[in-house]
Amino acid sequence: QVQLVESGGGYVQPGGSLRLSCEVSGLSLDDYAIAWVRQAPGKEREGVSCLRTRDESLDYADSVKGRFSTFRDNAKNTVYLQMNGLKPEDTAVYYCAADLGCLLHNDYDYWGQGTQVSVSS
């Protein structure tokens, strides 16, 4: 059974930082890409980052480049999203998702339950 479990969301002031974790079980990080996707109220899902674990290549949305980074810990089967310089427009539910590759329309096969990130002064 595939499970993706996110943690680390919360409330932070603008300019602050959070680190989200996605613990993966039931599939190999060597074979699957892991993406972070967010959805703000009333908006469509937005792909934030995607880690192609086979070659360690990464994609980031333009809106987060230079502020967010994604990395993995193989020993813990966990992928992280480090978010620095947070802005109010980063407020959303953040999901990790998995599939055999990074998908343009975010229609991944496997999803976590999501974790809320709120950025406000």
Side-chain angles (χ1 to χ4, degrees):
Q1 181 181 0
V2 176
Q3 281 192 310
L4 288 77
V5 180
E6 302 98 335
S7 60
Y11 171 83
V12 65
Q13 293 187 336
S17 297
L18 284 174
R19 177 178 291 182
L20 306 184
S21 301
C22 175
E23 185 174 357
V24 180
S25 59
L27 58 82
S28 171
L29 292 184
D30 288 336
D31 297 325
Y32 281 78
I34 304 296
W36 287 96
V37 180
R38 66 186 180 185
Q39 188 164 23
K43 294 188 177 181
E44 294 186 353
R45 287 177 177 174
E46 177 189 18
V48 174
S49 72
C50 187
L51 172 61
R52 297 181 186 85
T53 53
R54 187 176 296 275
D55 61 4
E56 301 291 339
S57 63
L58 279 161
D59 289 333
Y60 291 101
D62 289 342
S63 58
V64 305
K65 281 181 181 176
R67 299 188 297 122
F68 291 11
S69 60
T70 296
F71 55 98
R72 65 172 177 168
D73 183 333
N74 288 343
K76 296 182 179 179
N77 226 41
T78 298
V79 178
Y80 300 92
L81 181 67
Q82 178 67 42
M83 305 185 293
N84 300 327
L86 282 161
K87 303 176 181 180
E89 52 263 43
D90 294 319
T91 295
V93 178
Y94 283 71
Y95 301 88
C96 62
D99 213 305
L100 293 175
C102 298
L103 303 178
L104 181 63
H105 298 294
N106 302 310
D107 50 347
Y108 293 91
D109 276 346
Y110 303 106
W111 291 84
Q113 82 285 356
T115 185
Q116 176 70 47
V117 171
S118 299
V119 185
S120 175
S121 55

